[in-house]
Amino acid sequence: MSTDPVLPNSSGADSTGIRCEFRDIRRLLDEEQDVRALIRTAVKDLQDQTKEAIALLQGVHQSTANIPRLVQEARCRLPKLQTSLKQVVAAFPPDLYHRFRDQWTNALQNLAFLGAFIHYLEFGSLIRRNELAEMFAISVSADAGFHISLEDMLLGMLELAAELSRLAVNSVIHGDMQRPVDIAAFMNQLNSAFQLLNLKNDQLRRRYDGLKYNVKKVEEVIYDLAIRGLKPSESQPEEQPVAMAEA
């Protein structure tokens, strides 16, 4: 008959020490869960407001004539988004950014996309890192602790490309033949800029494959306009540079 193994150093004093140690561990785990709950609440509010602003801007697919009004309405929402970001920052100790980063990374990617979408509709160019930081009153520097990372910003740019490929199609439906041409020029610049990067992030590599598909989709729209004799003349607005790494 086998017997239960005898734990070494199983004295009463040692047993009490183990229990005390695990009480401390439980307390620390409970405190971390409390912090995560606060972060989830703050991030949910940020996500909800970001999605509402994106949904507002997507009204451009109904009529490109509404772009100035929709951009202005989206910009009016920026102060609330800035407040929501501050609530996320206040929910966790500054030195624990990396421990909790997974809680808000999707929210910041959506925010980067929103900022890039607003900027493109307003200026026809790619938002720069310092402009994104100013728009949302947030840092893009890792030294600041809470910040929009390069990966989050790049994923936001790739989401912009997907949205613009849809806009190119819908612009033709609404009789705006110049916009797809402008979008094609922008997306080709963006694609060329991404080719300069050595993408080691798996998610970025997969999403970059989507960019190539979106470029092809817009080029097919331009080809269709050309064979139908609807493509505008070659007098195009001055191309805006695509800057990928400006701090």
Side-chain angles (χ1 to χ4, degrees), residues 65-76:
N66 293 330
I67 287 177
R69 174 180 62 82
L70 293 173
V71 168
Q72 182 59 36
E73 290 181 14
R75 281 197 170 274
C76 288

Side-chain angles (χ1 to χ4, degrees), residues 11-231:
S11 64
D14 187 65
S15 177
T16 300
I18 290 175
R19 285 197 297 270
C20 289
E21 178 69 16
F22 272 76
R23 287 194 192 100
D24 289 341
I25 292 173
R26 183 178 66 184
R27 176 181 56 80
L28 292 172
L29 289 174
D30 288 345
E31 289 175 356
E32 180 171 321
Q33 289 305 312
D34 291 342
V35 172
R36 288 187 180 276
L38 289 173
I39 294 173
R40 278 195 299 272
T41 299
V43 168
K44 183 180 184 304
D45 180 64
L46 175 62
Q47 280 277 50
D48 289 346
Q49 291 195 47
T50 303
K51 289 177 180 178
E52 287 176 5
I54 291 172
L56 170 69
L57 280 181
Q58 286 175 331
V60 301
H61 297 293
Q62 305 303 316
S63 173
T64 55
N66 293 330
I67 287 177
R69 174 180 62 82
L70 293 173
V71 168
Q72 182 59 36
E73 290 181 14
R75 281 197 170 274
C76 288
R77 294 171 180 255
L78 295 183
K80 287 187 177 180
L81 285 164
Q82 293 171 2
T83 299
S84 292
L85 274 168
K86 290 176 182 177
Q87 291 172 344
V88 174
V89 175
F92 70 97
D95 58 329
L96 297 181
Y97 167 84
H98 291 287
R99 177 178 296 182
F100 298 113
R101 182 179 181 273
D102 62 302
Q103 297 283 101
W104 55 71
T105 183
N106 287 336
L108 293 190
Q109 290 167 17
N110 288 337
L111 203 67
F113 161 57
L114 172 61
F117 198 14
I118 290 173
H119 187 89
Y120 179 83
L121 292 175
E122 197 167 16
F123 302 108
S125 61
L126 187 69
I127 194 168
R128 298 169 186 264
R129 295 180 67 207
N130 62 312
E131 292 169 332
L132 187 68
E134 182 178 352
M135 181 180 288
F136 296 112
I138 185 175
S139 178
V140 291
S141 170
D143 294 337
F146 187 84
H147 66 288
I148 295 182
S149 69
L150 286 172
E151 290 82 3
D152 292 339
M153 185 168 181
L154 290 172
L155 286 164
M157 293 175 183
L158 292 170
E159 185 63 28
L160 172 67
E163 194 73 26
L164 292 181
S165 70
R166 180 187 170 201
L167 181 58
V169 174
N170 289 327
S171 295
V172 173
I173 293 172
H174 297 295
D176 185 348
M177 306 305 175
Q178 180 62 49
R179 193 169 301 276
V181 176
D182 297 340
I183 289 174
F186 172 80
M187 288 181 60
N188 276 303
Q189 289 182 70
L190 187 63
N191 185 39
S192 296
F194 263 94
Q195 291 175 11
L196 300 175
L197 305 179
N198 181 19
L199 299 177
K200 297 182 179 180
N201 180 296
D202 288 341
Q203 185 181 11
L204 272 172
R205 283 203 303 267
R206 289 194 300 270
R207 294 292 297 276
Y208 173 61
D209 288 339
L211 171 62
K212 291 181 281 188
Y213 167 79
N214 288 320
V215 169
K216 182 179 178 182
K217 181 178 177 181
V218 175
E219 288 176 343
E220 288 173 350
V221 172
I222 302 302
Y223 176 75
D224 188 61
L225 289 176
I227 63 175
R228 293 172 183 269
L230 298 174
K231 183 180 177 182

